[in-house]
Amino acid sequence: MRAAGELLDVELSGPVDLGGSSRSTVLRCETAGGGSVIVKAFSNEPESLRAFTAEAAGLSLGIAGPEVLGVDPQVPLVVMADLGNAPTLADVLLGSDPTVAESGLLAWARGLGRLAAESLHRRADLTRLWSQYDKGMPSWGDEPWIAQRATDLFALLDGAGIATPPGLAEELALIGTAGGEEYPAFTPGDTCPDNNLLTSEGLRLIDFEAACYQSVFLTAAYCRMPFSSCWCVFTLPAEVAAEIEQAYRAEVVGVYPALADDEVWQAGIRQAIAVWTVDVTVRLLPRTVEDGPLHRTRRPVPTRRQVLRHRWEMASTLQEFPALAETMRLLLHQVAGGWDVAPLPGYPAFANRGASRSLQASVDIATSG
């Protein structure tokens, strides 16, 4: 807090811990003038340093997220404008009003689509900013994480005693391309529901710890799966999922006209679903020996086994990747078959869909923001 105050040349006080993560500490601090700022400080662990560079560079692009007020690469920390206490997309999805939840999802999808379109010609700027705040770690866009997840999957299958179907290695090599070179776009990296504020001025994104350029399909898959790498994962009504996917697609088609072709779009989405399914399998399967909630404190929340089984069921239908689909079916039979867990339920907000709806003034979502 002292370092942030010196950076801004203002006295800060009254810090409130906003949660942060294993990589960062996030504080809301009062200024001497009666306002407030957000201070985000990072540790010196390699992943924390990568997160600092991504946060500083991604926010400094100035095309999404709160305004950067100062960056201290030595601490390291970032000071940014305080966007207030607006509800997050997670809040409304876990709430009780389906109208508010659907409006929030549309704001989220359109906002991410606009960000993808507006960022098309800013990649060189992000590279320059990354160099300015570089701490010696590559961005996630330059990290071969998809290929690494594929390698890790083979080790997991072997450990679980599951025979690798013929052709899996070749399919995973193909899946690893995921459209990144053909259709890249900027993303904050972690576009999960709790990192999207639904303000009276529209969608505002927070958490740029994995900011990079990646395939638009890797973002679009969040609409269909939904929320490919997040804790706030339940099922969506089919028509709502289709609506938000179309909202995102409508924004990116303007800069990538080829994505208007249904064949191109569907193939890209299915490829991204394969990528995220391998990713979640590698991350969560070792932690399912004893099942538990995906989030330490938020409720309701699904368990790791519920999410994995849901992801495996979806990926088991990917006809263009028969070896991967067979792998998912083997996991469902030989691993999930012994799990005594309920199917993944729907988002609580849509349990009352069709009932009388009332928009609360505190959740006045501007979907055109």
Side-chain angles (χ1 to χ4, degrees), residues 111-140:
L112 289 181
R114 290 190 192 115
L115 174 59
E118 292 169 4
S119 68
L120 185 61
H121 303 296
R122 300 295 304 277
R123 194 166 191 171
D125 294 331
L126 183 65
T127 299
R128 174 180 54 80
L129 288 163
W130 191 279
S131 298
Q132 181 177 338
Y133 301 117
D134 189 12
K135 287 290 186 178
M137 294 289 291
S139 77
W140 280 111

Side-chain angles (χ1 to χ4, degrees), residues 92-98 101 235 237 345-355 357:
V92 300
L93 287 172
L94 300 181
S96 59
D97 193 320
T235 62
Y347 281 99
F350 294 103
N352 298 321
R353 201 166 188 235
R357 304 162 181 168

Side-chain angles (χ1 to χ4, degrees), residues 167 170-172 174-175 224 263-274 314-325:
E170 292 78 7
E171 288 183 10
L172 291 178
L174 173 63
I175 290 166
R224 191 177 296 188
E263 196 169 311
V264 173
W265 181 261
Q266 297 299 338
I269 290 287
R270 290 192 293 267
Q271 189 171 347
I273 287 172
M314 178 173 281
S316 70
T317 66
L318 296 173
Q319 296 181 4
E320 58 266 74
F321 304 115
L324 180 66

Side-chain angles (χ1 to χ4, degrees), residues 30-91:
E30 299 175 8
T31 65
S36 62
V37 297
I38 303 298
V39 179
K40 189 167 187 177
F42 299 81
S43 75
N44 285 311
E45 296 298 319
E47 284 306 318
S48 297
L49 295 177
R50 189 209 305 265
F52 160 74
T53 303
E55 187 93 35
L59 285 175
S60 294
L61 274 179
I63 56 175
E67 177 188 0
V68 176
L69 304 177
V71 179
D72 186 337
Q74 300 308 312
V75 175
L77 63 77
V78 179
V79 185
M80 62 194 84
D82 187 357
L83 298 179
N85 291 309
T88 67
L89 182 55
D91 293 331

Side-chain angles (χ1 to χ4, degrees), residues 16-21 24-28 38-41 80 209:
V16 176
D17 187 353
L18 297 184
S21 69
S24 61
T25 299
V26 184
L27 304 176
R28 171 176 283 125
I38 303 298
V39 179
K40 189 167 187 177
M80 62 194 84
E209 291 185 12

